[in-house]
Amino acid sequence: MKVSSVTFVSADDGWVLGQVGGRVRVERTTDGGSRWTPLETSPPFGPGPSGAPTGIRFADLVHGYVFGRDALDVTSNGGQSWQQVAIADEDGASDGTGAADVEAAGGRVWLLNAAAPYPSIYTATVGSTSFGRVGRAGNRGAFVEVHRSEAYVVGFEGAGPVPPNLEVATTAGVSNRQSPCGGIGADQGTSSASGQSAGDFVGLAPAITPGVLYAVCGGDTTSTTSASFLYRSDSDGRSWTGVTVLHACVAAALAVTDSTAFVACRNGGVRAAPLTSTTSHSVLGSMPVQYVGFTNDQDGVAISGVAQSQAGAGDLYLTRNSGEHWTKAAT
């Protein structure tokens, strides 16, 4: 199976979304990825103008979400059955009725709808299919990351040196925080809290310490010396400090464990940056990587490929020793 998305709720329990022979399939593991079993009932995700679903997220062992531009499928029994939920189309018939991104934590699920160019932010309690709108995202191509009771929404503004926003959504509405990224075309270089680096906001992840966040700004793909930039905030994203420059890495995703920040590079490999250091080193070879994530300090996953889409779907890799060694999963 060519994997497009993966989700784990514990070191042992996880699901992958992908395609086999052009058909959408979800597979389940209960042993940390050593063995995978297809679900007997696939999500009812029908063919649409935007193709197959792009993501899967589970909040716990029973509540899960398969999503894409054209549909959102929800299960409350671990995937034994699925219900299709239509998300509000607010900007016209050209928008899909699905979701661009979904994340769950702390008993709530957060999603960005498929509205273009700027999606709206919705939330519901886990187990409910009644999503309430809390505001609009200020960025194109936005994604959401949940930290405690807040949903952080980041993305890119498009061509030119337009700084991407960092927004925080709660059930009460949406507010702005400071972004460390300056957009494609901005001046290169690491910066203090008052400056910005080149690159779009492509990754954000909380550390185990309350209030501490890490962010990565993607490299300028038009540059012959592409570099991405890792930042740290000790104030829930209100100010940022440059940590390190990730040379020759066009960042695609970020994950943070108790000890290390891991950055997936679209032009090859994963860079591991210890949180107590300003250096980094490469892991997982030189293949393009579109996603990296960790369930805890030891157990992580990565997906090869160049984008989180049907065309960029790839192979799933697993680590059980904090990213030191990776094994290709037999999905």
Side-chain angles (χ1 to χ4, degrees), residues 1-8 14-19 25-29 36-37 39 55-56 58 66 301 303 316 318 329 331:
M1 180 169 72
K2 290 299 181 182
V3 175
S4 57
S5 185
V6 59
T7 179
F8 273 81
W15 295 259
V16 290
L17 169 73
Q19 290 198 30
R25 189 158 88 183
V26 175
E27 294 186 359
R28 171 88 160 89
T29 182
W36 296 86
T37 303
L39 297 185
I56 184 170
F58 268 75
V66 169
V301 294
I303 301 175
L316 181 69
L318 306 170
T331 58

Side-chain angles (χ1 to χ4, degrees), residues 3-6 202-203 216 218-219 221 228 246 248-255 262-272 281-294 300-309 311-319 323 326-328:
V3 175
S4 57
S5 185
V6 59
V202 296
V216 65
T221 56
S228 297
L246 305 170
C249 174
V250 180
L254 169 68
F262 292 88
V263 179
C265 303
R266 285 187 288 141
N267 56 331
V270 173
R271 299 294 293 273
H281 60 278
S282 181
V283 298
L284 197 57
S286 59
M287 73 185 75
V289 180
Q290 59 172 290
Y291 174 80
V292 62
F294 275 78
V301 294
I303 301 175
S304 67
V306 295
Q308 289 182 305
S309 65
D315 297 316
L316 181 69
Y317 289 83
L318 306 170
T319 180
W326 298 77
T327 302
K328 184 177 176 180

